[in-house]
Amino acid sequence: MGRMNMKRMADALAVASLGGWATIAAAVSDMPGGPKVNQLNLTAPVTRIAEDQHWIHWFLIWVCLAIFFAVFGVMFYSVWKHRKSRGHAPAEFHESTTVEIAWTVVPFLIVVGMALPATRMVVEQKDTSNADVTVKATGYQWKWGYDYVKGDGEGISFLSTLSTPRDQIEDRNYPDAKARREQNPTYLMEVDNALVVPVNRKIRVVVTANDVIHSWMVPSFGVKQDAIPGFVRDTWFRAEKVGVFRGQCAELCGKDHAFMPIVVDVRSEADYRKWVDEKRKEMLAKAEDPTKEWQLADLQARGEKVYAANCVACHQANGKGVSGAFPALDGSKLVLGKQDGQIDIVLKGKPGTAMASFKQLSDVELAAVLTYTRNAWGNKAEDNIVQPAEVLAARK
Amino acid sequence: MSAVLDHHGDHAHDHAHDHPSGWRRWLFATNHKDIGTMYLWFSFTMLIVGGINALLLRTELFQPGLQILQPEFFNQLTTMHGLIMVFGAIMPAFVGFANWQIPLMIGASDMAFARMNNFSFWLLPVAAALLVVSYLVPGGATAAGWTLYAPLSVQMGPGMDLAIFAVHIMGASSIMGSINIITTILNMRAPGMTMMKMPMFVWTWLITAYLLIAVMPVLAGAITMVLTDRHFGTSFFNAAGGGDPVMYQHIFWFFGHPEVYIMILPAFGIASEVIPTFARKRLFGYSSMVYATASIAILSFIVWAHHMFTTGMPVTGQLFFMYATMLIAVPTGVKIFNWTATMWRGSMTFETPMLFAIGFIFVFTIGGFTGIVLAVAPLDIQLHDTYYVVAHFHYVLVAGSLFALFAGTYYWIPKWTGHMYDERLGKWHFWMSMITFNITFFPMHFLGLAGMPRRYADYPMQFADFNAVVTIGAFGFGLSQLIFLWAVVKCIRGGAKATDKVWESAHGLEWTVPSPAPFHTFETPPVVK
């Protein structure tokens, strides 16, 4: 009777889980350059390294399965045949040196067989020499910064932030969030500025971090490298296909760990050159003169955008912060006080807290965001404007 | 559990000196059986608390998007789930078994240091209270992951300090418990019981206790450095002050890897007791089992950096730690083969302890295979910090350690309470746990292979289905443990009278004393031939 019940229970569970499966799977499609729906194995490789990883994974699976079936074949045969209810009398043996030596030596040889191909792969993965392009990836809470330090595109630098809007993520604040994200196949794995690299060229990625440890991962390339604050480590890849490939931060880095994806846009040599030229022009146009005197309204408008990209995750859109974790800016003494104090904290951060240094932002951006906070929500600071020149002066 | 001794076993009062009753009996307990009972109830309580943490975060992960939890609270839950399960549930449960069983199995009258034994238990509720209360302080509990990696742990609020104190206290408790266990085993064995005649459970605990003494101070050092970095201006883990965040990981995992063997070796010991009893045949290769256990313990000290392949080690470092890690498969394999050979041509019956022991071998072996896959450094680069790792360590820790703990409970509970447990409930508990465990953790392998990072409050839509299955399984697994509670309570309250020997083919000194075991046993040491 117990067995019947159990079987019925198992059936019900299976139906429940499969039912859920069908409904959700129907609504979403595979992510281009990211995971497939209900993907079972490693992501499709676009580098030699990732291909090797596929190979060794299958190799290990087959070896493990063979051992698994051998061991449990014997065990379950025994469970079936050597049971008391079938009248099997216990044997007396309880040791055999030969057998024991055999099943120590054979597994050792199997392990050596697994380690050999792995050794070659380790050496290959760690060889970051002779790169065509070197890019520095810096982990921030919670975004990535990219600087092209060597090769074509040298000097280009930008930040890369999650571009999935909050109205797709937060069901509590946006009742139709679910419907929106179901329309978005790249949900949580899309950014405003992707890392652009040329195809078939060796790209060395120098990885570091600004605050806590992050990890730069792109499964299609078979690459994952921790980003360690204060230290540089490197890894490399040579993408063999044009396309957009996606990954996510892989080391717990605080609140928005799940919201700082990595997107790499692999382009043909010509397209890459074109992108470099455009990006250079764009940066020239953007290089604003920090000594220019700005109007309040212009700074506020600019500052609102900077705030949305850099500050909103902690201090929140309403400036109220998160009680106990992230302080409110609305009504904050520091925000309403003299400019120096506020400039100082955004340039240096506050050690021992989640408030990191934002010195990577330009003088204009910092001045704009500070001006914005001084006039937003209920704030009406006496010194209601911060000029880029003041930020520039404070940097020295 | 042994509260029932007062009501049932009249022989519990066959001693000249009385012992305190009521709350004094527990607060001032010096009897190894009472203290063992408290350890077991404490760890079960923490299993429930840690389980509630897990179910809350699984509820959030039932579908993509953020429905019930803020990401910062989600991180607190993952952190506390890990800390509570490791330090509050699994480790104290094994100490509970050690307290109850080691004196009974080696023919000692009690543990060597009875009052220290009391102290090492009563430290635990204090530590647990600190951990749980940390949810209520400003900023909430620590959200740096159970590994408490610097510099993220340096950023945390006061909840982190409470966690550091809690871990310190639990560490002190573990060290005292280990000293007690080592002293008891080395000095208080019955005449004639040489080292190589000790039951396997005693052997595994002896080795585990040495591991604990070796590594708990290392953990204490690591978290103390975090504490001084947080409050006293040191820069152990801050590059700007000349420190190194990766050094924290080296120190932590020098503790952390032996720690996983601390949680599995006594489980091996329990399986090695249960399987021969129900196979009605002696344990195959006793001495190779002892050597394998010792080899695993020694190897566990030289493999720590396989948790750190993605930090950017030099080639030689990766190769050394990969080879050393893969070597552990050899002694572990020996154990699996020995258990299989013990069952081979036995005369098996399948009471609940045996089911859990076989289930333990089955799922633990799957966890062992994924361990080999992860040990291969070039492949670990893909799998590190994904759900594949989560699947792996739940296969070895839940289906490994926890299933062995269940096997041990059903095996020895007739000796503890004097009653047989309800076999039907036991079987239900086993099958429900086994099925729901696999529904919960097997799909995580796929998620990890597809690249879903762990400790994520929200995830891409493509991972939705497996996550939904995992959540359903998790609730099933959680609820299955209520069957266990029911079976245990029922067994304490009554049931068929257990014989002294309890199991037809049970061997060992614990089966020579009456059931339930009287308050004092082996005041005159038995002689082992």
Side-chain angles (χ1 to χ4, degrees):
Chain A
M1 177 228 127
R3 191 163 297 169
M4 274 301 288
N5 273 342
M6 249 175 268
K7 198 178 169 305
R8 215 172 299 155
M9 203 87 142
D11 287 351
L13 266 172
V15 169
S17 35
L18 287 175
W21 199 313
T23 48
I24 308 175
V28 204
S29 55
D30 294 347
M31 186 188 298
K36 290 187 167 47
V37 176
N38 302 329
Q39 181 179 322
L40 296 177
N41 199 355
L42 295 166
T43 307
V46 290
T47 63
R48 268 262 315 280
I49 297 283
E51 231 164 84
D52 284 352
Q53 287 166 338
H54 269 253
W55 176 85
I56 202 165
H57 183 231
W58 276 116
F59 171 66
L60 293 172
I61 284 186
W62 286 119
V63 174
C64 289
L65 275 180
I67 301 172
F68 184 86
F69 282 113
V71 172
F72 288 99
V74 172
M75 186 183 287
F76 285 113
Y77 175 83
S78 179
V79 163
W80 188 246
K81 285 281 181 186
H82 307 149
R83 47 170 72 211
K84 198 183 173 201
S85 56
R86 297 174 72 107
H88 195 274
E92 281 295 313
F93 71 91
H94 61 85
E95 56 192 354
S96 157
T97 315
T98 331
V99 170
E100 285 171 61
I101 289 176
W103 67 38
T104 310
V105 173
V106 172
F108 178 76
L109 294 177
I110 296 177
V111 163
V112 172
M114 290 171 166
L116 286 178
T119 304
R120 183 185 56 77
M121 290 173 60
V122 168
V123 174
E124 210 166 311
Q125 284 184 0
K126 298 297 290 183
D127 177 18
T128 54
S129 60
N130 299 320
D132 300 310
V133 177
T134 302
V135 185
K136 185 173 89 169
T138 309
Y140 299 95
Q141 280 173 321
W142 292 274
K143 59 176 117 356
W144 290 96
Y146 296 111
D147 299 272
Y148 289 68
V149 287
K150 225 170 144 195
D152 278 347
E154 195 173 319
I156 293 177
S157 96
F158 52 88
L159 290 173
S160 175
T161 317
L162 177 73
S163 61
T164 306
R166 301 235 147 215
D167 65 9
Q168 293 185 13
I169 302 171
E170 295 170 356
D171 293 73
R172 282 210 297 199
N173 304 333
Y174 305 94
D176 56 348
K178 188 173 181 208
R180 288 168 197 256
R181 66 176 168 262
E182 274 172 1
Q183 302 303 313
N184 181 2
T186 54
Y187 176 70
L188 294 189
M189 290 180 86
E190 51 193 0
V191 295
D192 50 0
N193 302 304
L195 175 68
V196 180
V197 296
V199 72
N200 286 324
R201 301 282 291 276
K202 186 167 184 174
I203 315 294
R204 172 170 174 246
V205 189
V206 178
V207 184
T208 186
N210 187 53
D211 31 50
V212 298
I213 302 176
H214 304 267
S215 191
W216 198 83
M217 149 172 97
V218 182
S220 318
F221 300 162
V223 162
K224 183 181 291 148
Q225 174 58 55
D226 289 359
I228 298 153
F231 290 83
V232 286
R233 298 287 205 276
D234 62 356
T235 183
W236 70 278
F237 64 89
R238 188 198 301 270
E240 291 170 1
K241 257 187 230 155
V242 169
V244 177
F245 303 100
R246 299 161 202 275
Q248 291 175 296
C249 175
E251 181 64 61
L252 178 62
C253 55
K255 183 170 94 65
D256 279 356
H257 173 43
F259 306 100
M260 50 180 290
I262 293 129
V263 178
V264 182
D265 185 349
V266 179
R267 299 193 183 180
S268 70
E269 195 71 40
D271 284 352
Y272 177 69
R273 286 264 160 73
K274 221 163 80 192
W275 175 82
V276 168
D277 289 344
E278 276 167 21
K279 199 75 190 171
R280 284 241 168 85
K281 274 185 209 135
E282 199 182 303
M283 284 181 70
L284 269 177
K286 259 201 174 167
E288 292 142 321
D289 178 9
T291 54
K292 182 187 143 194
E293 191 81 0
W294 282 61
Q295 294 299 314
L296 178 64
D298 295 341
L299 274 179
Q300 269 180 280
R302 180 75 186 277
E304 190 168 1
K305 283 185 199 137
V306 179
Y307 187 86
N310 295 284
C311 318
V312 75
C314 294
H315 295 296
Q316 306 296 317
N318 59 10
K320 298 258 187 252
V322 174
S323 167
F326 309 109
L329 299 183
D330 189 11
S332 150
K333 274 196 192 128
L334 188 75
V335 176
L336 296 172
K338 285 269 170 225
Q339 289 100 326
D340 330 353
Q342 216 190 348
I343 294 175
D344 193 59
I345 199 165
V346 293
L347 283 177
K348 295 187 185 140
K350 192 170 177 192
T353 70
M355 181 63 195
S357 158
F358 282 85
K359 61 175 191 279
Q360 73 275 8
L361 298 181
S362 75
D363 298 332
V364 175
E365 284 170 322
L366 284 176
V369 77
L370 295 185
T371 306
Y372 170 72
T373 60
R374 289 172 167 261
N375 299 283
W377 319 299
N379 284 352
K380 280 183 189 65
E382 232 168 88
D383 306 305
N384 65 350
I385 186 160
V386 179
Q387 288 294 347
E390 293 174 76
V391 178
L392 180 67
R395 278 192 203 263
K396 285 166 187 163
Chain B
M1 274 173 213
S2 56
V4 294
L5 296 182
D6 281 349
H7 313 302
H8 293 276
D10 298 320
H11 37 257
H13 296 291
D14 57 357
H15 290 284
H17 66 276
D18 60 351
H19 52 80
S21 55
W23 60 271
R24 286 160 189 276
R25 169 177 173 186
W26 304 105
L27 187 60
F28 304 136
T30 50
N31 180 289
H32 73 100
K33 302 183 184 81
D34 280 358
I35 293 174
T37 302
M38 289 196 290
Y39 263 109
L40 292 173
W41 276 114
F42 171 80
S43 57
F44 185 76
T45 313
M46 295 314 278
L47 182 76
I48 300 294
V49 176
I52 290 171
N53 279 290
L55 291 183
L56 274 172
L57 63 92
R58 274 323 314 177
T59 309
E60 175 55 57
L61 292 174
F62 181 61
Q63 48 171 310
L66 295 174
Q67 287 87 34
I68 59 160
L69 304 176
Q70 298 287 0
E72 54 269 38
F73 186 56
F74 179 92
N75 290 347
Q76 294 174 27
L77 287 174
T78 54
T79 305
M80 296 298 273
H81 167 69
L83 285 173
I84 288 174
M85 287 303 197
V86 169
F87 294 105
I90 301 290
M91 289 171 70
F94 281 122
V95 182
F97 273 85
N99 259 290
W100 253 104
Q101 289 309 126
I102 288 176
L104 285 180
M105 294 171 95
I106 63 172
S109 57
D110 205 308
M111 297 293 283
F113 305 114
R115 287 195 172 74
M116 188 166 82
N117 204 9
N118 172 297
F119 189 46
S120 45
F121 171 75
W122 280 109
L123 284 176
L124 288 179
V126 177
L130 281 179
L131 270 184
V132 174
V133 163
S134 74
Y135 273 120
L136 307 175
V137 302
T142 171
W146 86 277
T147 50
L148 306 175
Y149 273 11
L152 188 60
S153 52
V154 178
Q155 260 187 11
M156 293 289 140
M160 183 68 207
D161 300 313
L162 293 181
I164 289 176
F165 294 141
V167 174
H168 267 305
I169 294 172
M170 289 188 280
S173 158
S174 287
I175 291 171
M176 282 189 274
S178 305
I179 292 173
N180 216 341
I181 287 167
I182 292 175
T183 314
T184 308
I185 295 175
L186 292 185
N187 297 294
M188 294 169 68
R189 297 193 309 279
M193 181 176 280
T194 59
M195 294 293 274
M196 290 309 273
K197 277 189 187 165
M198 291 196 312
M200 268 315 290
F201 178 70
V202 179
W203 255 118
T204 53
W205 240 118
L206 179 66
I207 292 168
T208 302
Y210 276 108
L211 285 181
L212 271 169
I213 291 182
V215 300
M216 289 311 289
V218 179
L219 173 67
I223 58 178
T224 305
M225 285 185 261
V226 170
L227 191 73
T228 62
D229 269 16
R230 287 168 57 78
H231 296 296
F232 307 115
T234 57
S235 302
F236 290 108
F237 309 125
N238 177 3
D244 182 352
V246 178
M247 184 174 73
Y248 176 87
Q249 298 181 24
H250 280 292
I251 302 172
F252 180 86
W253 287 113
F254 188 80
F255 146 81
H257 203 78
E259 168 70 14
V260 306
Y261 292 98
I262 286 165
M263 292 189 279
I264 200 66
L265 292 182
F268 289 166
I270 292 174
S272 303
E273 299 297 329
V274 170
I275 290 169
T277 297
F278 295 95
R280 291 170 181 73
K281 198 163 146 271
R282 274 176 68 182
L283 181 66
F284 186 88
Y286 171 90
S287 42
S288 71
M289 283 299 228
V290 173
Y291 301 140
T293 310
S295 323
I296 294 173
I298 292 164
L299 284 174
S300 77
F301 283 107
I302 56 163
V303 297
W304 76 90
H306 67 215
H307 297 268
M308 303 163 53
F309 283 143
T310 62
T311 54
M313 266 185 282
V315 173
T316 42
Q318 284 207 359
L319 290 179
F320 172 79
F321 286 106
M322 174 172 80
Y323 297 152
T325 305
M326 293 176 84
L327 264 189
I328 293 192
V330 176
T332 313
V334 167
K335 290 196 151 276
I336 309 275
F337 300 143
N338 279 341
W339 288 322
T340 311
T342 307
M343 290 158 70
W344 186 252
R345 291 175 56 206
S347 173
M348 277 185 276
T349 51
F350 301 93
E351 289 86 346
T352 310
M354 184 64 160
L355 288 179
F356 267 110
I358 296 175
F360 157 80
I361 301 177
F362 186 73
V363 270
F364 175 81
T365 305
I366 298 178
F369 284 136
T370 55
I372 297 251
V373 171
L374 288 168
V376 173
L379 185 53
D380 179 71
I381 299 294
Q382 278 282 19
L383 301 173
H384 177 81
D385 262 327
T386 67
Y387 263 78
Y388 194 89
V389 176
V390 180
H392 161 72
F393 67 71
H394 282 92
Y395 264 84
V396 289
L397 270 181
V398 179
S401 306
L402 189 63
F403 276 19
L405 285 163
F406 290 144
T409 306
Y410 288 110
Y411 184 55
W412 282 307
I413 205 171
K415 182 55 66 189
W416 300 340
T417 64
H419 303 129
M420 297 306 287
Y421 60 88
D422 183 335
E423 192 62 58
R424 214 163 55 106
L425 279 180
K427 289 212 162 88
W428 265 95
H429 176 221
F430 170 73
W431 285 109
M432 289 304 292
S433 296
M434 189 70 178
I435 293 165
T436 53
F437 169 83
N438 282 291
I439 295 176
T440 310
F441 294 104
F442 204 76
M444 288 187 184
H445 292 114
F446 303 132
L447 288 172
L449 286 167
M452 177 168 164
R454 58 193 283 217
R455 297 161 166 171
Y456 262 32
D458 193 7
Y459 50 83
M461 305 297 290
Q462 288 78 5
F463 298 135
D465 296 349
F466 283 134
N467 272 291
V469 175
V470 167
T471 298
I472 292 168
F475 274 88
F477 188 73
L479 293 176
S480 304
Q481 303 324 309
L482 298 179
I483 309 177
F484 175 65
L485 180 63
W486 182 13
V488 168
V489 170
K490 195 173 170 194
C491 181
I492 293 169
R493 299 180 139 213
K497 179 94 186 67
T499 60
D500 294 355
K501 203 176 169 192
V502 181
W503 309 109
E504 185 185 33
S505 176
H507 291 282
L509 292 174
E510 77 262 43
W511 310 110
T512 62
V513 301
S515 299
F519 198 67
H520 295 288
T521 37
F522 297 128
E523 280 158 298
T524 326
V527 176
V528 179
K529 274 177 250 142

